[in-house]
Amino acid sequence: MFMIVSPEDCQVYEKKIPSYKKEINYMHELIAYASLDMVELSEWQTNNMFMKQVDKFNESTIHCFVTPGRMRFLLLHEGLSDDSIKNFFNDVYEYYVKALLNPFIDKNTKINSKIFDEKVKKLMNKYF
């Protein structure tokens, strides 16, 4: 599962893996939100935007990418390589910045762009 969370902890975007059951997705969402505390501790200890593994729950691992505006990209997964995750985050960040160029979008509101959603879906298929 991939989420974008604002500095105010508002969920701006979420993309779930379609093959998972609905109940598991709710659990994944809870795990991702619980990891935000670890992200906040880690983001003040590094200058890197890509933070690698910030939390772990059973077999699930959470990686994070923090933008200069403190938007947090969270990826909850099982067994993906750091290189593919880093490349995924970098590509999503590029699309996110382009989406923010729209003057009618506020950074704290949900991203409802079908184009952005399709691009993230293609990136998930490419890297995962």
Side-chain angles (χ1 to χ4, degrees):
M1 180 184 74
F2 171 68
M3 294 174 67
I4 299 176
V5 181
S6 74
E8 292 80 23
D9 295 338
C10 300
Q11 181 180 331
V12 176
Y13 180 78
E14 178 179 358
K15 187 70 175 172
K16 298 178 182 178
I17 299 171
S19 62
Y20 287 150
K21 297 178 183 176
K22 198 173 208 180
E23 297 84 24
I24 294 175
N25 280 331
Y26 290 124
M27 189 171 108
H28 286 170
E29 197 170 311
L30 177 68
I31 294 166
Y33 271 108
S35 72
L36 287 175
D37 292 333
M38 298 304 294
V39 170
E40 287 182 11
L41 288 174
S42 299
E43 72 183 322
W44 297 111
Q45 297 173 355
T46 183
N47 292 331
N48 297 330
M49 293 171 63
F50 178 60
M51 291 192 206
K52 297 191 179 185
Q53 179 180 337
V54 292
D55 205 358
K56 187 173 176 96
F57 180 80
N58 293 338
E59 295 86 28
S60 299
T61 304
I62 300 165
H63 279 70
C64 184
F65 181 92
V66 179
T67 69
R70 290 200 57 235
M71 297 297 281
R72 281 101 21 118
F73 295 1
L74 299 172
L75 182 67
L76 179 74
H77 65 90
E78 294 177 5
L80 297 174
S81 72
D82 284 347
D83 290 335
S84 64
I85 294 169
K86 184 177 182 178
N87 292 333
F88 171 75
F89 280 148
N90 286 329
D91 289 349
V92 170
Y93 179 58
E94 179 182 340
Y95 292 135
Y96 174 74
V97 169
K98 289 178 182 178
L100 283 184
L101 292 175
N102 182 344
F104 300 108
I105 292 181
D106 180 33
K107 72 173 189 169
N108 292 319
T109 59
K110 281 201 172 276
I111 298 174
N112 294 322
S113 170
K114 290 183 182 182
I115 296 169
F116 181 80
D117 192 54
E118 285 298 318
K119 288 183 179 184
V120 170
K121 186 176 178 181
K122 285 180 183 177
L123 289 174
M124 287 180 110
N125 289 333
K126 178 181 177 181
Y127 291 112
F128 313 138

